[in-house]
Amino acid sequence: MGTRRWFVILLLSLFHSLYRRRFFVEGDSFASIAQMEQIVNLEMTLSESLERFVELEKSRLDKVKQFSTSVKEAMNQVKIEGPKSLENPATSYAVIKRFANGWTELGNFLEKDYSNDLRNLLQSNKWQFPTHNEDLLGAMAALFRLQDTYNISAVDMADNNIIGCGAAPKLLAEDCFDLGTVAYQAGRYTQAREWLSLAETFIHKGRHDGAVNRTEVVEYLAWIEYVKGNPERALNLTLEILQLVPHNKQAKENVMHYREMVEQGTRDTHDQIKAKEEEINTNTFKSGKYATLCRGDTSQSTPQGDLNCWYHGQKSPLLLLRPIKVEMVWRKPELLIFRDLLSTKEAERIKELATPKLQRATVFNRQTGKLENADYRVSKSAWLESWDDEVIATVNRRIGAATGLEMDTAEPLQIANYGMAGQYEFHHDFGDPGSPLDLSPNGNRIATVLIYLNDVSRGGYTVFTRAKTYVSPTMGDAAFWYNLKRSGEGDYETEHAACPVLCGNKWVANKWLHIRGQEFRRKCSLNPKE
């Protein structure tokens, strides 16, 4: 790795906390599968153009080789015969012909640039390309997030041993090395060690393309072992480096440093303290309510007794012939599922309308009063009004009939598409006292209707972290709950989150209904607990 690379690692150890804050919030393309599909379609077009370019270049090269062979044969004859070969008129004719036709045609041939089409295609679509500093790092953060939430090991991720996911290329040592070094820079020391150890294993097995060598990997591993509080392990790894590269000056210096740490011991450095905190925080997250519910574990939930299901809407003209199937999945807070609220055709139309309008979803920053990107909300969203399409108007009327609430003061239908490891960490939909939502002319958000527009292969649950329950996404179903108590106070038991999408794609539609207009539709109460 050398002195310069080692200095870079030490420098990163000083600034990784700043990097860690930025690492998880910048990505964009990976935030939406809809945009990923566009990028894949672009890559197919680029692949076809590249293939045409390669075929034309191969054809050109074949012709150049053919001409080169004929020239070589002629020159060999000249070498043998010398100037005497020109006494043969056929030889003189062949030389003149090669210059009049062959070499001239070769010059014209080489002036042709078959790369123009491919170059123009690349330049005109460059604005769609995922970037390194935002999208690639965001994709890496997404993999780390999936590992933490679903307890997926690096080897299972690298070998695609994930139940429910489709086929995928296996990762190479270079991929593991990149993930390991970026994990270190983000302060994820445990994952960094796991990915770098896997990189070393893959190098031993020949599963690499030669872009990284074992010395580089072991140097990083040694430093991480030191940061993790294992100077003896760091020393042994560095001694291995000296066996591979005996004249590595930096490794010799590091051996002295690690040996001193082993023999004398020392107080924990800043990085070592951070590493211990990271391990505690990671384990706390993995065993916490959010992650366990995302994995479908409700063992900590409170028994709810009998939960009912019924048909609703016999008194509504809109639902008379097709009443809504309602299922109660939780009592406090009351959480209902409207089964088959939307048809597949309606869901597809909504996604079609929303796709060109998708933009990175934002959250309200209570300190700055501005909407901004956040690492805890990774999705793209769009807003649809009733006048955008008859399907939207129909869905809005159906929501009104199903909930019995006034729709004129409701927000437009928000469509969200969750991409690679797309998620929205725990939050509540109502505004706290004094917030813009609370002070809205239409009042606070009284209720939420969350509609699932597709099935998700794995992951993507909506989890209620205080109630300790979850709803799995099923196409056409809608979850419904009141955000406010009858007293008008916010019900913090409705705190919920969208789990990362592990496999597949997730589309949802949110309809938020407000207090204004509900005076005679939902009875009020002076009891703050109701």
Side-chain angles (χ1 to χ4, degrees):
M1 182 159 56
T3 304
R4 179 179 177 276
R5 187 185 295 270
W6 191 261
F7 173 74
V8 170
I9 296 179
L10 292 173
L11 191 63
L12 284 171
S13 73
L14 297 176
F15 294 105
H16 75 79
S17 59
L18 174 62
Y19 180 84
R20 188 177 188 179
R21 287 196 295 271
R22 296 184 63 252
F23 175 61
F24 296 99
V25 301
E26 297 294 334
D28 184 62
S29 294
F30 72 95
S32 166
I33 289 294
Q35 185 170 356
M36 287 298 299
E37 290 175 352
Q38 295 173 9
I39 294 173
V40 170
N41 290 336
L42 171 60
E43 189 166 31
M44 290 182 67
T45 303
L46 288 170
S47 174
E48 292 171 358
S49 180
L50 178 60
E51 190 173 351
R52 288 193 298 271
F53 169 71
V54 170
E55 289 301 320
L56 288 170
E57 287 294 318
K58 286 173 66 176
S59 176
R60 169 157 59 182
L61 185 59
D62 288 342
K63 291 179 180 179
V64 171
K65 284 182 176 179
Q66 184 178 2
F67 179 66
S68 175
T69 300
S70 66
V71 171
K72 185 177 181 180
E73 291 175 353
M75 293 302 99
N76 287 338
Q77 187 67 29
V78 170
K79 289 178 182 178
I80 296 173
E81 299 286 339
K84 187 177 180 181
S85 63
L86 296 177
E87 295 178 3
N88 190 320
T91 302
S92 299
Y93 166 78
V95 172
I96 293 171
K97 181 181 179 181
R98 281 197 299 275
F99 277 92
N101 292 343
W103 288 106
T104 301
E105 289 178 0
L106 178 64
N108 295 333
F109 195 51
L110 294 177
E111 288 179 0
K112 293 181 180 179
D113 189 352
Y114 295 120
S115 67
N116 281 336
D117 290 343
L118 180 59
R119 187 186 303 114
N120 291 337
L121 191 61
L122 287 168
Q123 291 176 349
S124 63
N125 289 281
K126 194 172 183 179
W127 62 275
Q128 296 189 66
F129 286 19
T131 63
H132 178 277
N133 290 341
E134 295 182 1
D135 297 302
L136 181 56
L137 292 181
M140 289 181 174
L143 294 181
F144 299 151
R145 187 161 58 244
L146 291 175
Q147 282 188 272
D148 286 346
T149 306
Y150 297 106
N151 276 337
I152 301 173
S153 66
V155 66
D156 282 341
M157 186 73 74
D159 289 339
N160 192 33
N161 292 329
I162 305 174
I163 298 173
C165 293
K170 293 185 177 181
L171 302 185
L172 301 178
E174 287 72 15
D175 300 308
C176 299
F177 178 74
D178 290 342
L179 286 162
T181 54
V182 169
Y184 165 74
Q185 293 161 11
R188 290 173 164 265
Y189 304 107
T190 303
Q191 282 179 324
R193 178 166 60 184
E194 187 180 16
W195 280 107
L196 288 167
S197 297
L198 191 58
E200 184 185 17
T201 299
F202 286 172
I203 289 174
H204 276 300
K205 293 182 177 180
R207 188 167 151 180
H208 61 93
D209 59 16
V212 65
N213 59 59
R214 183 166 178 261
T215 302
E216 290 179 293
V217 176
V218 175
E219 282 175 335
Y220 267 98
L221 270 174
W223 174 253
I224 290 173
E225 289 293 349
Y226 171 70
V227 170
K228 293 285 287 182
N230 302 313
E232 187 172 353
R233 173 64 175 155
L235 173 61
N236 292 334
L237 288 170
T238 310
L239 290 172
E240 288 184 28
I241 295 172
L242 286 177
Q243 290 180 347
L244 297 170
V245 189
H247 302 295
N248 189 316
K249 182 179 178 181
Q250 187 62 54
K252 291 179 180 179
E253 294 178 3
N254 294 337
V255 164
M256 295 174 59
H257 173 69
Y258 292 145
R259 184 165 283 149
E260 181 181 353
M261 296 299 102
V262 171
E263 293 174 353
Q264 299 181 7
T266 182
R267 295 176 60 184
D268 286 346
T269 65
H270 175 75
D271 278 347
Q272 288 172 335
I273 293 172
K274 287 292 184 182
K276 290 179 180 179
E277 292 176 353
E278 177 266 339
E279 186 169 2
I280 293 172
N281 292 338
T282 299
N283 291 334
T284 300
F285 173 82
K286 288 182 176 181
S287 60
K289 291 183 291 185
Y290 172 70
T292 54
L293 286 170
C294 286
R295 296 193 292 269
D297 182 357
T298 57
S299 59
Q300 300 179 30
S301 302
T302 303
Q304 295 294 292
D306 293 334
L307 298 172
N308 305 323
C309 56
W310 63 92
Y311 282 101
H312 170 72
Q314 290 88 340
K315 296 181 180 180
S316 169
L318 288 175
L319 304 178
L320 185 61
L321 297 178
R322 186 176 176 270
I324 298 293
K325 294 175 285 186
V326 183
E327 179 181 337
M328 179 186 289
V329 296
W330 210 252
R331 289 189 176 276
K332 189 177 181 181
E334 186 177 67
L335 174 60
L336 306 179
I337 302 294
F338 300 146
R339 298 293 182 187
D340 301 319
L341 184 69
L342 264 66
S343 67
T344 301
K345 185 176 180 180
E346 289 170 330
E348 291 301 319
R349 179 56 180 163
I350 291 173
K351 290 188 285 186
E352 180 183 355
L353 292 168
T355 296
K357 299 182 178 183
L358 289 173
Q359 294 188 8
R360 179 70 186 268
T362 56
V363 296
F364 179 77
N365 187 318
R366 294 170 183 162
Q367 295 181 338
T368 64
K370 297 180 180 179
L371 292 172
E372 58 186 35
N373 292 342
D375 63 307
Y376 56 84
R377 188 176 194 183
V378 183
S379 65
K380 288 199 169 185
S381 62
W383 298 84
L384 299 177
E385 299 277 6
S386 291
W387 55 76
D388 286 326
D389 193 90
E390 180 57 31
V391 168
I392 307 301
T394 299
V395 170
N396 283 336
R397 288 194 296 268
R398 194 177 300 148
I399 291 173
T403 62
L405 296 175
E406 176 61 56
M407 297 297 293
D408 288 345
T409 57
E411 296 177 36
L413 195 66
Q414 188 207 52
I415 314 303
N417 179 220
Y418 292 83
M420 181 180 179
Q423 65 162 8
Y424 190 179
E425 290 183 10
F426 49 87
H427 62 283
H428 44 72
D429 288 346
F430 61 87
D432 290 322
S435 67
L437 271 178
D438 183 49
L439 301 176
S440 167
N442 289 326
N444 216 330
R445 288 173 173 169
I446 190 174
T448 294
V449 179
L450 172 61
I451 308 171
Y452 300 105
L453 301 178
N454 72 311
D455 294 318
V456 179
S457 300
R458 189 174 172 194
Y461 292 173
T462 303
V463 298
F464 291 80
T465 44
R466 294 199 178 192
K468 300 178 184 176
T469 190
Y470 67 89
V471 177
S472 58
T474 303
M475 205 293 297
D477 287 357
F480 171 73
W481 66 89
Y482 282 104
N483 298 305
L484 304 179
K485 300 176 182 179
R486 292 186 182 275
S487 63
E489 294 186 7
D491 187 351
Y492 289 90
E493 293 299 310
T494 62
E495 180 184 83
H496 59 285
C499 298
V501 177
L502 178 55
C503 306
N505 186 9
K506 181 182 176 184
W507 285 85
V508 299
N510 290 295
K511 192 69 177 180
W512 288 297
L513 298 94
H514 286 252
I515 290 178
R516 186 177 176 185
Q518 317 300 347
E519 292 83 356
F520 301 103
R521 294 174 180 264
R522 189 193 189 208
K523 292 181 180 181
C524 298
S525 173
L526 296 177
N527 186 345
K529 295 183 179 181
E530 291 185 356

